[in-house]
Amino acid sequence: MFIDEVLIDVKAGDGGNGCVAFRREKYVPRGGPSGGDGGRGGDVVLFASEHYNTLLHFRFNPEHRAERGRHGEGSNRTGHDGASIERPVPVGTVVRDAKSGEILHDFTTPEERFLVARGGRGGRGNARFATSVHQAPREHEPGKPGEERRLQLELKLLADVGLVGFPNAGKSTLISRISAARPKIADYPFTTLEPSLGVVSFGDDRSFVVADIPGLIEGAHLGHGLGVRFLRHIERTRLLAHLVDVSESSGRDPVRDFDVVLGELASFSEALTAKPMIVVATKLDVAQDASRVEALRKLADERGLPFYPISSVTGEGLERLKHAMGAAVLGGTQAGA
Ligand SMILES: Nc1nc2c(ncn2[C@@H]2O[C@H](COP(=O)(O)OP(=O)(O)OP(=O)(O)O)[C@@H](O)[C@H]2O)c(=O)[nH]1
Ligand SMILES: [Mg+2]
């Protein structure tokens, strides 16, 4: 199961209370105050881990509490600090305060750490309140409560190129041809139910990451099909590759398909439509009717978008497409190679 959004509750440990005590020893009359301070409560820390690809591990485990600080004791003994807890999140996780919606942190690199709830300070024991004119203080402080908050965790995959298009357009087939990813491929809509990533290597040891996401249909922003929530995974890409099936067997109008998908992208976020886009005509091997390909090419030309006809079956156009993607995300002069 691919879980990309969860709510969790975190609670740092409370500080331990300060203690009231007086030294009582044989032959030491009127021993001074000796109440120790409370220990500090433990923190709750999130850290980015490459071993996690989803937020699934939080699904049935939504509460995370750190240990409280122990109370201070007599003979000036300070209470032990509570142990902190650390929880892994996948790289690409955005942490929000669930109440205000404010973004608290955005995990972009492995091993990055972020404190989400600070442990409470321990209270001072009465020994700390003694002065020359106040030699038997009874003052002491309770520990401060640990921070407590509800967090919304949202995973946004970190990919360079996002594949968008209608169901059945050939997105998964393409990623399986240009990377080692092996997503499910089948001749029916909505084969892909969750996003996946593929690493594409090209040139001399250079590589970039492509995201395959579920297909979009008209009204996806209203919840039709699988909806548009997966689009969050391509929000951070630098390039969108818009795949359009130009084969006859699809029985679809490539130009109309293109505009429908564009409309769905726009209704999700204007920022998506502002991203650089390339148009990829797919299934060239079964596109006998050249007019469909040409209609799409014309549309791409009119909008100033680069156009790449391919066949994932014969391999036609794949090298060129790969290099165009690489050049767009990594820069350099590889385009059209
Ligand atoms: N002839 C031919 N068939 C292709 C080509 N690319 C994909 N197909 C076929 O088209 C069908 C759909 O391919 P997928 O890669 O699963 O399509 P998708 O865009 O990932 O579809 P969803 O996951 O449902 O959104 C499969 O039967 C593929 O074998 C191609 O270049 N030529
Ligand atoms: Mg697919």
Side-chain angles (χ1 to χ4, degrees), residues 194-214:
E194 48 197 48
S196 66
L197 298 181
V199 179
V200 179
S201 39
F202 88 115
D204 325 318
D205 59 78
R206 304 221 286 174
S207 63
F208 56 91
V209 178
V210 176
D212 176 24
I213 63 167

Side-chain angles (χ1 to χ4, degrees), residues 82-243:
S84 295
I85 57 172
E86 305 203 338
R87 295 290 181 258
V89 296
V91 179
T93 300
V94 179
V95 183
R96 281 199 176 78
D97 185 294
K99 223 193 277 161
S100 67
E102 180 200 355
I103 293 183
L104 305 174
H105 194 72
D106 186 352
F107 286 96
T108 54
T109 50
E111 306 307 321
E112 210 177 316
R113 300 156 58 78
F114 181 69
L115 191 152
V116 285
R118 186 178 299 280
R121 218 165 44 85
R124 288 178 295 175
N126 71 331
R128 302 279 214 102
F129 292 87
T131 63
S132 55
V133 294
H134 184 47
Q135 297 189 344
R138 301 200 63 86
E139 294 95 325
H140 63 288
E141 294 170 333
K144 294 267 187 297
E147 280 181 337
E148 185 169 10
R149 65 205 320 183
R150 173 161 286 193
L151 302 175
Q152 185 205 12
L153 305 184
E154 191 188 9
L155 174 60
K156 297 186 181 202
L157 298 181
L158 298 179
D160 301 304
V161 180
L163 303 183
V164 294
F166 258 82
N168 252 343
K171 300 178 293 297
S172 302
T173 311
L174 173 62
I175 205 173
S176 75
R177 285 300 305 265
I178 60 177
S179 78
R182 290 291 171 264
K184 187 169 164 193
I185 292 167
D187 192 15
Y188 55 80
F190 303 118
T191 311
T192 300
L193 299 174
E194 48 197 48
S196 66
L197 298 181
V199 179
V200 179
S201 39
F202 88 115
D204 325 318
D205 59 78
R206 304 221 286 174
S207 63
F208 56 91
V209 178
V210 176
D212 176 24
I213 63 167
L216 295 167
I217 57 172
E218 187 154 22
H221 68 286
L222 303 172
H224 297 181
L226 294 177
V228 289
R229 68 187 195 95
F230 295 106
L231 290 179
R232 70 165 68 120
H233 295 295
I234 56 169
E235 276 187 311
R236 306 206 242 199
T237 59
R238 269 174 285 173
L239 176 73
L240 297 182
H242 188 156
L243 274 64

Side-chain angles (χ1 to χ4, degrees), residues 253-281:
D253 174 1
V255 170
R256 186 175 140 68
D257 278 5
F258 181 88
D259 278 326
V260 167
V261 168
L262 213 57
E264 295 303 324
L265 296 180
S267 63
F268 181 77
S269 104
E270 284 297 329
L272 270 189
T273 47
K275 274 188 198 296
M277 178 182 278
I278 60 177
V279 181
V280 181

Side-chain angles (χ1 to χ4, degrees), residues 264-301:
E264 295 303 324
L265 296 180
S267 63
F268 181 77
S269 104
E270 284 297 329
L272 270 189
T273 47
K275 274 188 198 296
M277 178 182 278
I278 60 177
V279 181
V280 181
T282 64
K283 312 192 190 179
L284 213 57
D285 56 298
V286 283
Q288 272 82 32
D289 179 1
S291 69
R292 301 167 72 87
V293 188
E294 288 317 310
L296 189 63
R297 183 193 298 277
K298 185 158 162 277
L299 175 97
D301 285 349

